[in-house]
Amino acid sequence: MQLNFNSPKPIYLQMVDEVKRALVRGELMPGDKIPSHKERAEMSQVNPNTVQRAYQEMERVGLTETLRGQGTFVRNNPTLLEQLRSEMAQEAMRQFIAEMRGLGIDAKEMEQMLHRQLAQEDGEG
């Protein structure tokens, strides 16, 4: 898991995003145990308070649950994965559109470019 210490996005939110990406990619599964606060702080070389804040945020949004004496686990929520995938896809689309508009590309041209790129990549696969 890679954190960007130069990013304007707070480290604790980057940590939350890493767990979300790992879930969507299948690297983490519902019910999986995640590292303890101390282990995660050592792995990431960040202050344990930062990790605690990330874990609190993950619990607040329903991503994880902590079982006393057992650790923190990815919540076993059947709709969680699909919800995360949808949210992340929408955010990627917003960023893509903003970048393209920043380049002066309108919606029609964007759509044409996207179709060409998808066709090219489908042809390579």
Side-chain angles (χ1 to χ4, degrees):
M1 294 187 179
Q2 201 72 3
L3 299 173
N4 180 355
F5 294 99
N6 295 320
S7 172
K9 187 171 199 169
I11 298 298
Y12 82 97
L13 290 177
Q14 290 182 47
M15 295 174 90
V16 173
D17 288 346
E18 284 181 346
V19 171
K20 288 178 179 179
R21 273 191 300 280
L23 259 170
V24 169
R25 291 179 178 155
E27 298 163 3
L28 268 178
M29 302 298 287
D32 281 356
K33 184 176 181 179
I34 61 175
S36 71
H37 292 73
K38 183 180 178 183
E39 291 169 332
R40 184 64 168 107
E42 289 172 1
M43 288 172 18
S44 303
Q45 297 182 335
V46 298
N47 187 304
N49 293 333
T50 301
V51 176
Q52 182 167 351
R53 190 166 180 193
Y55 280 40
Q56 287 172 341
E57 179 65 13
M58 288 189 289
E59 282 205 39
R60 188 188 70 74
V61 299
L63 191 60
T64 61
E65 61 185 336
T66 300
L67 304 176
R68 188 176 200 93
Q70 296 179 40
T72 302
F73 298 83
V74 175
R75 189 175 291 275
N76 195 359
N77 177 345
T79 61
L80 179 64
L81 187 60
E82 195 52 47
Q83 179 183 348
L84 288 174
R85 182 178 285 124
S86 177
E87 289 172 8
M88 292 173 78
Q90 291 205 2
E91 179 58 27
M93 290 299 291
R94 279 191 290 275
Q95 290 176 7
F96 169 77
I97 291 168
E99 285 291 323
M100 296 299 273
R101 285 190 173 146
L103 294 172
I105 298 172
D106 65 24
K108 185 171 177 70
E109 187 179 1
M110 221 182 290
E111 184 178 1
Q112 292 169 345
M113 291 173 75
L114 182 58
H115 283 292
R116 279 194 304 268
Q117 188 65 36
L118 286 170
Q120 180 181 343
E121 290 191 19
D122 286 346
E124 292 174 3

